[in-house]
Structure formats: structure tokens, C-alpha cells
């Protein structure tokens, strides 16, 4: 009878250990994971510029230089790209990329809204700044909400 009692005692301790893990350890690990995820949420991360512009229904111009692109996500996804390109190519690129959009402020600002689609931006904004010397600085922002 002593062996059966030890087996029961062992089973009881295994049950208690599993129970403590389920009722204490699992919630604590979920809270720790949530805190880590929340701390990283919304932090801009570098992303491939081709992917960044594709999110906003655009293609990175071939003549682009100094391109930097970031992606942030928490409740919304937010992509930002900045690059330089020849100033005389900007109007053609905008027309080819967003043919139905209205460009304002002398061809320097554009805002487009799209129907919701999975994995794509709902809104895109483009701001162009002339830097002189035939170069334009383009800031591209795309996001969903």
C-alpha cells in the first residue's frame, strides 16, 4: 500500500503544479508578452522602399536617390518614404501613379483616398519640395485606419 500512496501523492503534486502554471504562470506570461508588444507598438521600423510604396499603390521611380522608408503598426499601419528625384520627372510620376487624383498647390501636394482593401493603404499623401538644382524632395505617406 505504500507504493500506491506515493503514486497518488506524486500525481497530486503534478496536478497542483500544472494548476498553478495554468492559473498563475499563463496569465503572467500573457501580461509580459502584452507589455513587450505594447512597448514596440508604433515604433517605426525600416522597410524596403519598393514595398513601402506598393502599400500606397505606387512604384518607386527609377531615378530616385537617397530613399529611406519606414513602417509602423499598432492600431493603424503607417508607411513613410522620403526620397529625391529629378524635379522635372515628379509631375509625370504623379500623373502615372495616381491618374484620377487632383494635385494642389502648384503640383506640390497630393492626397488620395482608396476603398478599403486588405494589405493596402486607405489614404496616401505626397508632398514635393523643390530643393533647387533640378532636384525635388518627395515625402510619401500612406496609412489605413
Amino acid at each position: 500500500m505504500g507504493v500506491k500512496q506515493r503514486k497518488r501523492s506524486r500525481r497530486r503534486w503534478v496536478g497542483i503544479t500544472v494548476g498553478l502554471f495554468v492559473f498563475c504562470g499563463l496569465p503572467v506570461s500573457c501580461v509580459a508578452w502584452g507589455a513587450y508588444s505594447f512597448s514596440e507598438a508604433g515604433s517605426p521600423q525600416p522597410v524596403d522602399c519598393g514595398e513601402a510604396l506598393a502599400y500606397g499603390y505606387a512604384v518607386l521611380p527609377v531615378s530616385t536617390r537617397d530613399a529611406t522608408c519606414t513602417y509602423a503598426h499598432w492600431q493603424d499601419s503607417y508607411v513613410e518614404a522620403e526620397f529625391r528625384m529629378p524635379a522635372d520627372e515628379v509631375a509625370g510620376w504623379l500623373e502615372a501613379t495616381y491618374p484620377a487624383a487632383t494635385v494642389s498647390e502648384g503640383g506640390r501636394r497630393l492626397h488620395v483616398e482608396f476603398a478599403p482593401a486588405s494589405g493596402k493603404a486607405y489614404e496616401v499623401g505626397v508632398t514635393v519640395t523643390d530643393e533647387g538644382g533640378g532636384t525635388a524632395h518627395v515625402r510619401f505617406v500612406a496609412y489605413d485606419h
Side-chain angles (χ1 to χ4, degrees):
M1 290 283 174
V3 173
K4 280 187 177 183
Q5 228 173 6
R6 278 189 221 153
K7 282 186 180 180
R8 259 192 229 146
S9 180
R10 230 183 261 162
R11 283 185 189 161
R12 186 175 349 140
W13 282 110
V14 168
I16 290 171
T17 303
V18 168
L20 283 173
F21 173 74
V22 169
F23 290 111
C24 296
L26 196 58
V28 167
S29 61
C30 286
V31 168
W33 174 78
Y36 171 76
S37 296
F38 188 73
S39 72
E40 293 294 313
S43 299
Q45 304 292 322
V47 68
D48 176 69
C49 287
E51 291 178 24
L53 268 71
Y55 175 72
Y57 302 93
V59 175
L60 190 66
V62 177
S63 57
T64 299
R65 61 184 174 84
D66 303 331
T68 58
C69 301
T70 57
Y71 171 80
H73 179 76
W74 188 51
Q75 291 179 337
D76 301 332
S77 295
Y78 185 85
V79 170
E80 185 173 348
E82 292 192 45
F83 53 89
R84 289 177 175 75
M85 66 185 292
D88 59 349
E89 295 179 16
V90 173
W93 175 69
L94 288 174
E95 269 184 40
T97 304
Y98 304 111
T102 303
V103 180
S104 63
E105 293 184 30
R108 298 298 174 208
R109 283 193 175 284
L110 172 126
H111 181 85
V112 188
E113 293 184 18
F114 298 97
S118 179
K120 292 289 191 174
Y122 297 178
E123 295 188 39
V124 173
V126 179
T127 305
V128 180
T129 307
D130 191 12
E131 293 187 324
T135 302
H137 178 261
V138 179
R139 183 169 182 265
F140 173 93
V141 176
Y143 53 92
D144 62 18
H145 47 113

